[in-house]
């Protein structure tokens, strides 16, 4: 995807938003730092992180620059009109031609301070330019719809490829396993197969997908993307392309195309525009053919700033204090895909200095971190987590990160390292911070070692954010409240909230929620709080949800908790003590995000337990 430059004009818009009190200086600085890493633009990042509503920015700019504002949802651009402006120019400068009236061309722009583009457009199109303001996020989406590979264009592309492939690709017979490696190698080099795969790999990156699924069924082949944690179908290529498509992926990722009986893992790297994208490839034999899943590792989307993930200030402070200790253990827990590795990378980025030796053992290494010695675990040759950890201790490390504590041996070595002057970071698959402690004890680790070594345990989940463009307030029905175990009389005090936990709720809240939150106290009823949802729009594909948000449960090892560990107390007892000491559970953190208008009740109930 072509990066949108953030020039002086965009920065001045950010300064204007600060002066008008619509965002804080800290929010602007966060968006500016994110722009330096992803190149998407300061204002775009402000809207994406929910700091300000796009509509509010558009209204402000229209007043400030005395320029008409437009709602792009009301325009259907004629493709012939769109072609008047080259796609690269449109994407780079965020401009879109809307209509032509005689010698005048109406053009939507996101940055009214970019006056030079008006002259450029006049020269290129040979028309007089009438500029109108459109929201940057919406405009960018519209530009991608008309210029980039959209879903409808993907379908059109597929039809063209299938038409081109007629007679060129052999129909896969029932006994496809007998197809020779030479025949498959010849088939995968056909232009239609190459074109289709390249289009899918590029389109998935443009849409921000994290995974691509190729699935074989008895009578059809299905392609799905995982976007914001949810799978969506994008196309169904002809079933006869199955063997050639799978084999093409295997060749690209240097796998054995003749082996179809066992799973295989590989990697491939592509340059898309200015980006270099890594794909982790996994194949799995199924009864109707091999399934291929590609994990997209886009470094441009890697955010290493904890505050952007939605972690509460006190929780972030506790985490950073724990990882800045010279020794001890910090564990991050949660299900697969909950962002554990990203959290650990973020912590490492904060403490990655020239005077420390950081070593990691990962399965696999997802992102390269400069200054960190990263080792890929290879169990087939005996390089397990335990073996890597033993080797690390002979490499004079200060900080060790182990991808996962999977067994007693790894746990014992990690504990020993934490007790002998090393900081150890790792992950576990448990449901809560308190259950992490009991899991370590169940593995066979001694309670006094666990109590002494642990500094902090963080449990996390990812929930989908409400689309900021179509967010609206609503009143939940009794069934929703009942699912969350909320009665008419339930108060924040009943949920064990403290005044301190609610004090920061206004920070980062949606504009329409901020004023309401000021009235919330621990004695306020839950049913009286503001509830929000997305009604669905073009920006969120009518789902009402766009982007993801973290929920965090950060348990610091206090004296009371260490005593409970020594007694081999239950997870419930440990959790109650942690909450008494000020910890927010995942469900409590979810309520704060609901209160701010960041996510909805359905997402929180689905990902957390009461």
């Amino acid at each position: 995807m072509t990066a949108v430059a953030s020039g002086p004009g965009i920065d001045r818009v950010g300064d204007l938003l600060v002066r008008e009190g619509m965002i804080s200086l800290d929010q602007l600085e966060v968006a500016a730092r994110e722009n330096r890493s992803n190149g998407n633009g300061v204002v775009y990042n402000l809207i994406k992180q929910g700091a300000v509503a796009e509509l509010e920015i558009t209204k402000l700019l229209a007043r400030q620059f005395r320029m008409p504002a437009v709602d792009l949802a009301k325009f259907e651009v004629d493709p012939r009109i769109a072609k008047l402006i080259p796609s690269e120019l449109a994407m780079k400068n965020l401009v879109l031609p809307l209509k032509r009236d005689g010698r005048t061309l109406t053009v939507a722009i996101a940055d009214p301070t970019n006056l030079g583009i008006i002259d450029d457009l006049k020269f290129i199109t040979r028309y007089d330019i009438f500029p109108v303001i459109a929201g940057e996020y919406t405009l960018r989406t519209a530009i991608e719809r008309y210029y980039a590979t959209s879903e409808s264009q993907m379908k059109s592309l597929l039809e063209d490829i299938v038409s081109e492939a007629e007679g060129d690709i052999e129909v896969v017979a029932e006994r496809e396993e007998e197809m020779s490696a030479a025949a498959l190698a010849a088939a995968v080099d056909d232009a239609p197969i190459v074109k289709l795969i390249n289009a899918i790999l590029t389109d998935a990156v443009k849409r921000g997908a994290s995974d691509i699924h190729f699935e074989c069924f008895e009578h059809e082949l299905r392609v799905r993307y995982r976007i914001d944690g949810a799978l969506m179908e994008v196309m169904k290529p002809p079933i006869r392309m199955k063997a050639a498509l799978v084999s093409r992926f295997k060749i690209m990722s240097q796998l054995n195309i003749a082996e179809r009986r066992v799973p295989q893992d590989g990697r491939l790297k592509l340059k898309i525009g200015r980006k270099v994208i890594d794909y982790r490839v996994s194949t799995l034999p199924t009864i109707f053919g091999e399934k291929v899943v590609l994990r997209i590792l886009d470094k441009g989307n890697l955010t290493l700033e904890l505050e952007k993930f939605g972690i509460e200030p006190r929780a972030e402070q506790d985490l950073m204090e724990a990882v800045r200790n010279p020794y001890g253990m910090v564990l991050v827990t949660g299900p697969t895909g909950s962002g554990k590795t990203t959290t650990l990378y973020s912590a490492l980025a904060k403490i990655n200095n020239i005077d420390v030796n950081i070593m990691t053992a990962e399965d696999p290494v997802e992102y390269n971190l400069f200054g960190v010695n990263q080792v890929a675990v290879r169990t087939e040759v005996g390089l397990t987590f335990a073996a890597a950890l033993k080797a690390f201790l002979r490499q004079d490390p200060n900080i060790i990160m182990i991808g996962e504590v999977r067994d007693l041996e790894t746990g014992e070595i990690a504990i020993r390292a934490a007790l002998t002057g090393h900081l150890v970071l790792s992950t576990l698959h448990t449901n809560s911070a308190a259950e992490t402690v009991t899991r370590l004890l169940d593995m066979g680790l001694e309670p006094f070692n666990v109590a002494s070594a642990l500094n902090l345990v963080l449990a996390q989940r990812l929930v989908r954010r409400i689309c900021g463009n179509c967010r609206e307030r609503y009143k939940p029905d009794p069934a929703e409240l009942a699912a969350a175990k909320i009665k008419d009389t339930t108060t924040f005090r009943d949920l064990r909230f403290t005044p301190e936990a609610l004090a920061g709720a206004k920070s980062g809240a949606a504009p329409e929620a901020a004023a309401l939150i000021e009235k919330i106290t621990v004695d306020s009823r839950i049913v009286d709080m503001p509830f929000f949802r997305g009604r669905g729009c073009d920006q969120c594909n009518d789902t009402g949800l766009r982007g993801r948000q973290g929920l965090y449960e950060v348990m610091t090892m206090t004296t009371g908790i260490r005593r409970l560990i020594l007694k081999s107390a239950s997870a419930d007892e440990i959790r109650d003590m942690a909450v008494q000491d000020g910890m927010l559970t995942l469900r409590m953190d979810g309520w704060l995000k609901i209160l701010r208008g960041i996510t909805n009740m359905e997402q929180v109930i689905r990902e957390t337990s009461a």
Side-chain angles (χ1 to χ4, degrees), residues 103-169:
R103 298 301 307 165
T104 299
L105 182 65
T106 300
V107 178
I109 64 174
D111 179 12
T113 66
N114 187 5
L115 300 178
I117 189 60
I118 305 299
D119 294 332
D120 291 344
L121 294 176
K122 186 174 182 179
F123 176 78
I124 291 171
T125 64
R126 308 293 183 182
Y127 285 95
D128 294 325
I129 304 300
F130 180 68
V132 294
I133 294 178
E136 180 173 345
Y137 205 108
T138 304
L139 180 55
R140 182 171 178 173
T141 303
I143 290 171
E144 290 179 353
R145 184 187 315 137
Y146 290 109
Y147 290 104
T149 306
S150 64
E151 185 172 353
S152 60
Q153 288 174 313
M154 285 294 290
K155 291 179 181 178
S156 175
L157 173 65
L158 178 59
E159 291 174 359
D160 292 342
I161 290 173
V162 172
S163 176
E164 179 182 342
E166 287 294 337
D168 293 337
I169 298 178

Side-chain angles (χ1 to χ4, degrees), residues 188 245-259 263-270 278-283 290 292 294 378 380:
V188 299
L245 284 170
V246 172
S247 297
R248 174 67 182 171
F249 280 121
K250 286 184 175 181
I251 287 177
M252 294 174 72
S253 50
Q254 299 181 344
L255 300 178
N256 183 357
I257 66 170
E259 179 56 76
Q264 297 186 66
D265 295 304
R267 296 176 78 103
L268 66 93
K269 183 176 293 189
L270 294 179
D278 287 314
Y279 299 83
R280 199 172 72 210
V281 183
S282 171
T283 69
E290 290 176 279
V292 181
L294 296 92
R378 298 180 61 191
E380 69 274 11

Side-chain angles (χ1 to χ4, degrees), residues 4 88-95 109-111 114 117 139 143:
V4 178
E88 289 188 6
L89 185 67
M91 291 181 179
K92 181 179 181 181
N93 294 278
L94 283 183
V95 294
I109 64 174
D111 179 12
N114 187 5
I117 189 60
L139 180 55
I143 290 171

